[in-house]
């Protein structure tokens, strides 16, 4: 009969029994002194003799508790025939007097693990010279607890946004006073032509006999006015082409210009052509007369033009509105472009400093990253207690055992997350009841291969495929030894036929009739989850069961 999921969980937690083992090799450890003063450095050496082909991994981090590692020195290498002597040195210290034991250290040589001997050291008090004046201890100074500096980042962000918004408003959206040229451009064509004639009068062309520039400006004024109100190619047309078109407009009753007006314009335009291209030099008084004639002809052209219809006025209004919309649209695109550029520049800068993946996960969010950077909790679970530091407080999830199994064992289980969430942490303690065995009988030994097979079957029952398993000895900071089983697997994605890579780590410890287990599962290549696993494993401490 197939086991139910609850029974499977109980079987996994109850059957996962481990044993500790050690290997012998050419590994030695020593200290330079077994008795030092408080705060003085103890130099701790680990010497390994091995073949040149073997990879040697020395312990790193705070694995010397209750002593504190203050320095990890480079490895010294000495060659001895076909062997290599590797010497790794650490600087240790302690700031409380007493006798301490440096725990056994784990060294990995090739695919094997070795443990050093534990060493005892004494930390002595500093002898105080009572003949000298001793000052009182300074009173304690209240220090305000440092809180999260998230508000500083928020303030900096708000200041930067305010500066960017002000610059965008000042240079793009702020209503700017019109320049003289812009004010002139907003005038109607008739008023603009009259103003241009007035400006021409204020020039000194005639005083300096500069008739070429004078006639150039004068003819441009009349041509510009005709271009805007009568013929939209008046500026680039020759004199003959312009006069011919004016005659056509007169004959077609589109412009009510007299024949005399057309002749006067033709006479002035041709005289200007002679001045500009044939270096003709008319009399100054004639030039002044031509200016007055152009002034009158502008008035005659205005009077000759028909009144704009309501449809033309409406089209003109729509044109102005469209121009205003284009101008506003241009401002919007400039604002969006500047904002996107600043955003991309900021993201690029942070990505170069912290890495793109970290920046992406910070902006979009990542559940593992939030757990890693949250407030961690150190607590004890089960009896005897398992001390462990976790990103969240574990909840009691002890399943209800069948009556037959409950008579044989007591199970307590605490967990966080699930396989579906992509991160799961389980701490379980199983205590075998002695009365379950007959008097004088010893509890049977557990075959490790059977236990591992049972664990693999539980993963397979959950749908896992391609399970890869490795194991090694695991030593907690307080010296408890157990087995570490770890590897990878393909876990099914809920609601689909697809799989995703997952990684798992299981720790198992035995003491008398007690089995203590820690299981962690997470998605593979999740760098934040991998950091959490390292931090969790480094925090595990066990207390021996009471006899």
């Amino acid at each position: 009969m197939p086991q139910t999921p609850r029974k499977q969980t109980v079987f996994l937690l109850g059957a996962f029994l481990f044993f500790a083992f050690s290997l012998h090799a050419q590994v030695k450890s020593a200290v330079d002194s077994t008795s030092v003063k408080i705060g003085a450095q103890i130099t701790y050496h680990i010497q390994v003799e091995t073949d040149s082909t073997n990879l040697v991994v020395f312990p790193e981090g705070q694995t010397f508790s209750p002593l504190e590692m203050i320095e990890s020195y480079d490895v010294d290498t000495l060659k001895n025939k076909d062997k290599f002597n590797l010497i790794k040195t650490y600087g240790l210290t302690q700031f409380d007097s007493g006798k301490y034991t440096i725990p056994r250290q784990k060294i990995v040589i090739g695919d094997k693990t070795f443990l050093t001997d534990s060493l005892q050291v004494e930390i002595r008090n500093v002898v105080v010279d009572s003949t000298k004046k001793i000052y009182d201890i300074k009173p304690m100074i209240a220090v305000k607890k440092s809180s999260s500096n998230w508000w500083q980042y928020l303030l900096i962000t708000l200041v930067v946004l305010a500066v960017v918004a002000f610059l965008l408003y000042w240079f793009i959206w702020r209503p700017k006073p019109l320049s003289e040229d812009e004010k002139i451009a907003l005038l109607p064509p008739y008023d603009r032509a009259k103003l241009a004639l007035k400006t021409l009068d204020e020039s000194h062309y005639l005083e300096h006999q500069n008739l070429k520039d004078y006639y150039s400006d004068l003819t441009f004024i009349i041509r510009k006015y005709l271009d805007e109100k009568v013929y939209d190619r008046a500026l680039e047309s020759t004199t003959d082409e312009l006069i011919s078109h004016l005659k056509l407009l007169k004959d077609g009753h589109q412009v009510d210009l007299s024949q005399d007006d057309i002749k006067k314009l033709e006479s002035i335009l041709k005289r200007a052509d002679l001045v500009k291209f044939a270096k003709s030099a008319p009399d100054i008084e004639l030039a002044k007369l031509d200016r007055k004639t152009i002034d009158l002809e502008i008035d005659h052209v205005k009077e000759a033009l028909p009144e704009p219809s309501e449809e033309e006025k409406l089209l003109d209004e729509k044109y102005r509105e469209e121009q205003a919309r284009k101008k506003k649209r241009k401002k919007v695109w400039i604002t969006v472009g500047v904002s996107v550029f600043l955003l991309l520049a900021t993201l690029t800068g942070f990505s170069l400093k912290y890495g793109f993946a970290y920046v992406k996960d910070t902006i979009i969010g990542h559940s593992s990253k939030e757990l890693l950077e949250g407030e961690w909790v150190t607590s004890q679970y089960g009896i005897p207690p398992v001390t462990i530091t976790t990103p969240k407080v574990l909840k009691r999830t002890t399943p209800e055992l069948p009556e037959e199994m409950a008579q044989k064992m007591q199970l307590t289980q605490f967990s966080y997350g699930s396989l579906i969430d992509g991160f799961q942490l389980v701490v379980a303690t199983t205590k075998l009841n002695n009365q379950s065995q007959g008097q004088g009988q010893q509890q049977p030994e557990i075959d490790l291969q059977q236990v591992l097979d049972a664990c693999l079957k539980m993963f397979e029952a959950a749908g896992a495929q391609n399970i890869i398993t490795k194991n090694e000895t695991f030593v907690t900071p307080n010296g408890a030894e157990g087995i570490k089983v770890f590897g990878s697997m393909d876990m099914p994605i809920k609601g689909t036929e697809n799989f995703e890579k997952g990684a798992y780590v299981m720790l198992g410890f035995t003491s008398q009739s007690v089995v203590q287990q820690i299981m962690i599962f997470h998605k593979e290549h999740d760098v934040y989850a991998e950091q959490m696993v390292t931090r969790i494993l480094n925090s595990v401490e066990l207390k021996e069961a009471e006899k």
Side-chain angles (χ1 to χ4, degrees):
M1 181 177 178
Q3 294 177 322
T4 64
R6 177 174 292 176
K7 290 181 179 179
Q8 291 172 348
T9 302
V10 173
F11 179 73
L12 172 63
L13 298 175
F16 191 45
L17 304 177
F18 297 95
F19 67 92
F21 66 93
S22 61
L23 298 171
H24 298 283
Q26 296 297 324
V27 177
K28 299 178 182 179
S29 62
V31 292
D32 63 339
S33 177
T34 58
S35 180
V36 296
K37 294 179 181 180
I38 288 178
Q41 176 175 306
I42 297 175
T43 304
Y44 179 83
H45 306 277
I46 298 178
Q47 181 176 343
V48 175
E49 181 179 311
T50 182
D51 295 332
S52 60
T53 58
N54 286 336
L55 175 66
V56 179
V57 180
F58 289 96
E60 292 295 341
Q62 299 296 340
T63 62
F64 301 92
S65 179
L67 271 71
E68 179 182 349
M69 186 190 75
I70 57 177
E71 187 72 33
S72 176
Y73 300 96
D74 295 335
V75 178
D76 291 331
T77 305
L78 301 176
K79 188 174 182 182
N80 183 12
K81 296 182 180 180
D82 296 334
K83 299 287 185 177
F84 278 95
N85 280 332
L86 305 179
I87 302 175
K88 177 68 174 177
T89 305
Y90 302 88
L92 310 179
T93 190
Q94 173 57 258
F95 295 96
D96 287 325
S97 61
K99 293 183 178 181
Y100 297 93
T101 300
I102 301 177
R104 303 171 72 185
Q105 300 298 309
K106 180 174 67 176
I107 296 93
V108 179
I109 305 176
D111 57 354
K112 297 181 180 180
T113 302
F114 299 83
L115 296 175
T116 65
D117 294 330
S118 59
L119 300 173
Q120 283 194 343
V121 294
E122 180 185 9
I123 306 298
R124 307 190 311 273
N125 273 319
V126 178
V127 178
V128 179
D129 188 353
S130 59
T131 61
K132 296 183 179 180
K133 182 178 180 181
I134 301 176
Y135 296 92
D136 292 334
I137 299 176
K138 292 185 178 180
M140 295 179 63
I141 300 176
V143 179
K144 187 176 180 182
K145 183 180 179 181
S146 59
S147 58
S148 177
N149 57 355
W150 62 268
W151 62 270
Q152 295 180 357
Y153 295 105
L154 177 61
L155 180 61
I156 293 173
T157 302
L158 292 177
V159 170
V160 171
L161 291 176
V163 171
V164 172
F166 173 77
L167 293 176
L168 289 174
Y169 167 78
W170 185 260
F171 290 104
I172 298 176
W173 292 95
R174 176 176 61 95
K176 302 178 183 65
L178 297 177
S179 64
E180 290 300 324
D181 291 339
E182 290 174 333
K183 290 179 181 179
I184 294 173
L186 293 176
L187 293 175
Y190 175 80
D191 295 335
R192 194 160 56 250
K194 289 292 187 178
L195 182 61
L197 287 174
K198 184 178 179 182
T199 303
L200 181 63
D201 293 339
E202 296 173 354
S203 68
H204 302 283
Y205 292 143
L206 296 180
E207 296 178 11
H208 298 89
Q209 302 290 321
N210 190 356
L211 294 174
K212 182 178 179 180
D213 290 341
Y214 183 84
Y215 271 98
S216 295
D217 290 354
L218 182 62
T219 53
F220 178 81
I221 292 170
I222 186 61
R223 282 177 176 272
K224 179 68 174 177
Y225 182 67
L226 293 174
D227 184 84
E228 292 178 326
K229 301 300 293 183
V230 180
Y231 177 42
D232 59 1
R233 299 186 61 184
L235 286 173
E236 60 265 27
S237 299
T238 64
T239 298
D240 291 337
E241 290 173 345
L242 178 57
I243 296 302
S244 298
H245 194 78
L246 290 176
K247 290 178 179 178
L248 288 175
L249 292 176
K250 173 180 171 53
D251 295 340
H253 304 289
Q254 296 182 25
V255 177
D256 191 17
L257 273 176
S258 66
Q259 192 67 34
D260 185 56
D261 289 330
I262 295 175
K263 286 183 178 180
K264 289 180 180 179
L265 288 174
E266 181 179 11
S267 175
I268 295 173
L269 291 174
K270 287 186 175 181
R271 185 158 41 252
D273 290 341
L274 291 174
V275 172
K276 290 186 289 183
F277 305 112
K279 296 184 180 181
S280 175
D283 189 69
I284 297 297
E285 294 301 323
L286 180 58
K288 293 180 179 180
L289 180 61
D290 288 342
R291 184 267 179 221
K292 293 179 180 179
T293 303
I294 291 297
D295 194 4
L296 291 174
E297 293 307 322
I298 290 175
D299 293 335
H300 293 165
V301 171
K302 180 182 180 183
E303 295 169 359
L305 294 174
E307 287 292 327
S309 63
E310 292 298 325
E311 184 178 356
E312 290 176 337
K313 292 180 180 178
L314 183 61
L315 290 174
D316 187 57
E317 182 65 25
K318 288 183 177 179
Y319 173 78
R320 287 196 296 270
E321 290 177 356
E322 180 63 23
Q323 291 300 111
R325 281 196 294 269
K326 286 183 178 179
K327 191 174 182 180
K328 184 176 181 179
R329 206 156 40 232
K330 181 180 179 181
K331 291 182 177 180
V332 170
W333 279 112
I334 292 175
T335 303
V336 172
V338 171
S339 301
V340 171
F341 171 77
L342 292 175
L343 178 61
L344 292 178
T346 302
L347 293 178
T348 302
F350 280 112
S351 298
L352 292 175
K353 183 174 182 180
Y354 300 106
F356 175 75
Y358 181 84
V359 174
K360 174 180 68 67
D361 294 337
T362 301
I363 296 174
I364 299 176
H366 195 290
S367 57
S368 297
K369 182 175 181 293
E370 294 171 1
L371 284 176
L372 177 64
E373 297 179 350
E375 294 291 336
W376 283 53
V377 180
T378 300
S379 188
Q380 295 181 338
Y381 301 94
I383 301 176
V386 176
T387 303
I388 188 171
T389 302
T390 58
K392 297 288 183 180
V393 176
L394 306 185
K395 295 183 180 179
R396 181 183 289 271
T397 56
T398 304
E400 184 178 350
L401 300 177
E403 183 177 353
E404 179 182 355
M405 190 171 291
Q407 293 177 355
K408 297 180 179 180
M409 65 180 65
Q410 298 175 8
L411 171 66
T412 56
Q413 176 180 306
F414 302 84
S415 64
Y416 170 80
S418 66
L419 296 178
I420 298 176
D421 298 332
F423 183 83
Q424 185 180 29
L425 171 60
V426 178
V427 177
T429 302
T430 305
K431 185 174 183 180
L432 303 180
N433 295 328
N434 294 330
Q435 60 268 28
S436 63
Q437 304 293 331
Q439 278 188 340
Q441 292 183 350
Q442 294 183 347
Q443 294 183 1
E445 294 183 359
I446 302 297
D447 187 285
L448 179 60
Q449 189 60 48
Q450 291 182 359
V451 174
L452 294 177
D453 290 342
C455 296
L456 296 178
K457 289 180 181 178
M458 298 307 298
F459 284 122
E460 291 175 355
Q465 297 180 2
N466 302 325
I467 301 175
I468 299 175
T469 300
K470 303 176 183 178
N471 63 77
E472 63 182 26
T473 301
F474 183 85
V475 181
T476 66
N478 65 338
E481 295 183 13
I483 292 293
K484 175 183 176 182
V485 179
F486 59 99
S488 62
M489 67 181 80
D490 294 336
M491 287 296 297
I493 301 176
K494 185 178 180 181
T496 68
E497 297 180 356
N498 300 324
F499 288 79
E500 64 179 350
K501 280 287 186 181
Y504 68 92
V505 178
M506 293 186 291
L507 302 182
F509 304 90
T510 60
S511 175
Q512 300 176 13
S513 60
V514 176
V515 180
Q516 295 165 298
Q517 301 160 263
I518 299 169
M519 190 275 284
I520 308 173
F521 172 85
H522 63 88
K523 295 179 181 178
E524 197 172 47
H525 305 307
D526 186 341
V527 294
Y528 308 109
E530 292 171 358
Q531 294 178 46
M532 285 194 290
V533 170
T534 301
R535 184 172 176 181
I536 291 171
L537 296 183
N538 289 337
S539 70
V540 175
E541 292 188 3
L542 304 181
K543 183 178 180 181
E544 294 184 359
E546 296 181 0
K547 297 183 180 181

